């Protein structure tokens, strides 16, 4: 029979992972079997640069935490070597990074996850990963908003240059 200290430690771990699921805008579950140390380091750096937490979680703890967070459907995904990428800022970032990484290496397999508080299938995650990132969306919006001002400035400059040409 497990000691009370061990049971308490596991309960705290389940509580911590449950909190991560509850706070995340997205949580992507992967199988990372076969990654070498260099690849894991590279993946962690890419995720960290986008403020995405990457955790290897024991399957029984992940199953309990996902159930407590209201994502019982995820329980079947926690088999074999499993890691979860949690993002509480940009919901697209972990999907985009992990999809790109999985496309470039055979060692990573996307399993499923949560997108904006809803359990998502593998197809939904891959579709989500194809969306532009937050930064790309902001840049596009800024360009769209600048276009009328830019056109107006070009028109004013053309009128001013024409008036200068007529005066000479």
């Amino acid at each position: 029979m497990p000691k009370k200290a061990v049971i308490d430690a596991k309960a705290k771990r389940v509580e911590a992972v449950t909190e991560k699921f509850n706070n995340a805008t997205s949580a992507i579950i992967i199988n990372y079997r076969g990654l070498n140390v260099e690849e894991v380091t590279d993946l962690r750096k890419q995720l960290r640069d986008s403020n995405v937490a990457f955790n290897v979680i024991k399957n029984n703890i992940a199953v309990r935490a996902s159930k407590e967070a209201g994502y019982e459907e995820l329980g079947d995904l926690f088999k074999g070597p499993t890691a979860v990428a949690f993002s509480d800022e940009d919901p697209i970032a972990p999907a985009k990074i992990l999809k790109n990484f999985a496309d470039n290496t055979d060692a990573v397999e996307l399993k499923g996850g949560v997108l904006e508080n809803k359990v998502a299938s593998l197809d939904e995650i891959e579709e989500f990963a194809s969306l532009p990132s937050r930064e790309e969306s902001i840049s596009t919006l800024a360009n769209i908003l600048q276009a009328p001002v830019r056109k107006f400035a070009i028109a004013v400059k053309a009128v001013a240059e024409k008036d200068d040409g007529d005066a000479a």
Side-chain angles (χ1 to χ4, degrees):
M1 190 159 141
K3 293 184 179 182
K4 182 162 175 37
V6 173
I7 293 172
D8 289 345
K10 286 183 179 181
K12 285 182 182 178
R13 184 68 180 136
V14 168
E15 186 178 314
V17 175
T18 301
E19 187 175 326
K20 285 187 177 230
F21 272 113
N22 287 333
N23 293 336
T25 57
S26 67
I28 308 300
I29 302 163
I30 67 164
N31 177 337
Y32 64 93
R33 183 187 313 260
L35 281 181
N36 62 38
V37 173
E38 184 180 324
E39 291 170 328
V40 170
T41 303
D42 181 39
L43 177 59
R44 285 184 184 273
K45 182 186 180 317
Q46 289 180 40
L47 292 166
R48 189 174 41 251
D49 289 347
S50 295
N51 295 321
V52 176
F54 183 72
N55 301 104
V56 174
I57 304 168
K58 287 188 172 188
N59 290 332
N60 62 348
I61 290 175
V63 168
R64 288 180 184 160
S66 63
K67 185 176 181 178
E68 286 186 23
Y71 303 121
E72 288 182 34
E73 300 92 346
L74 297 178
D76 293 338
L77 302 179
F78 296 109
K79 290 179 176 53
T82 304
V84 184
F86 295 98
S87 176
D88 55 359
E89 293 177 10
D90 184 1
I92 297 173
K96 191 177 249 351
I97 293 167
L98 292 171
K99 171 81 168 87
N100 184 41
F101 203 85
D103 288 346
N104 294 322
T105 181
D106 293 332
V108 172
E109 173 194 355
L110 295 174
K111 291 181 169 184
V114 176
L115 296 172
E116 297 182 332
N117 302 319
K118 294 179 185 152
V119 174
S121 69
L122 189 54
D123 290 336
E124 291 170 322
I125 291 170
E126 289 180 356
E127 184 178 327
F128 216 66
S130 68
L131 295 173
S133 70
R134 183 174 189 262
E135 290 77 22
E136 292 168 339
S137 297
I138 290 171
S139 175
T140 301
L141 179 62
N143 284 334
I144 290 170
L145 294 175
Q146 285 179 343
V149 175
R150 193 176 305 122
K151 287 178 183 177
F152 179 72
I154 290 169
V156 169
K157 181 179 178 187
V159 169
E161 286 174 357
K162 181 179 182 230
D163 288 346
D164 287 345
D166 290 343

